[in-house]
Amino acid sequence: MSTPFAATPASNRRIGRSIVAVIVAILANAILSLIFDQLFHVLGVYPPWGQPMFSPALNVLALGYRIVFGVFAGYLVARLAPSDPARHARILGVIATVLGAGGVLVGITHRELGPIWYPVLLAVSAYPAIGLGAAWYRRAR
């Protein structure tokens, strides 16, 4: 006798695919950010790793490409979602916002790392950027 909450093999696969879609989008965002960070460090645009970056222009540059990567992550999670792409984007947006809030807490407790406005704007822009990416996918489809 099955219960209304019993998982079927098909629903288990769909849940697995949903988890993979979110993880892939998070990893894509993180890897792209690290690649660009490393590129700017190697080119001498950013100070060496471990040194604070207080320059407003450099922080705006980093924020800019992270927002673009957030849009891409929203598109990617919507594209990979087995169903309901908007729901997957919302889940990713919440995760990204929570991670961004963690960055704000680190920024508050370690003021020597850089200006506090940077992690605040990163956290605030995460959900809308991901939503924009999901809307881009929906429109392209």
Side-chain angles (χ1 to χ4, degrees):
M1 179 168 165
S2 72
T3 66
F5 301 108
T8 65
S11 69
N12 284 341
R13 277 193 300 278
R14 190 170 36 245
I15 290 169
R17 287 182 58 204
S18 292
I19 292 169
V20 167
V22 172
I23 290 172
V24 165
I26 291 169
L27 288 176
N29 188 320
I31 291 168
L32 285 169
S33 294
L34 287 173
I35 288 170
F36 271 70
D37 287 350
Q38 180 62 24
L39 176 67
F40 287 127
H41 283 290
V42 168
L43 294 175
V45 176
Y46 289 171
W49 286 103
Q51 290 187 10
M53 189 167 77
F54 283 98
S55 165
L58 296 181
N59 280 285
V60 167
L61 173 63
L63 181 65
Y65 63 78
R66 280 177 168 74
I67 290 172
V68 170
F69 297 153
V71 172
F72 173 71
Y75 180 92
L76 186 60
V77 76
R79 170 73 179 85
L80 296 176
S83 64
D84 199 355
R87 180 172 186 224
H88 286 76
R90 287 190 304 270
I91 291 167
L92 179 62
V94 168
I95 292 169
T97 302
V98 168
L99 291 173
V104 172
L105 292 176
V106 170
I108 289 170
T109 59
H110 297 285
R111 300 294 298 216
E112 72 278 3
L113 295 176
I116 191 62
W117 61 262
Y118 172 76
V120 168
L121 288 179
L122 199 57
V124 168
S125 65
Y127 196 92
I130 291 166
L132 183 61
W136 174 31
Y137 169 75
R138 189 172 44 250
R139 182 162 185 191
R141 200 174 60 153

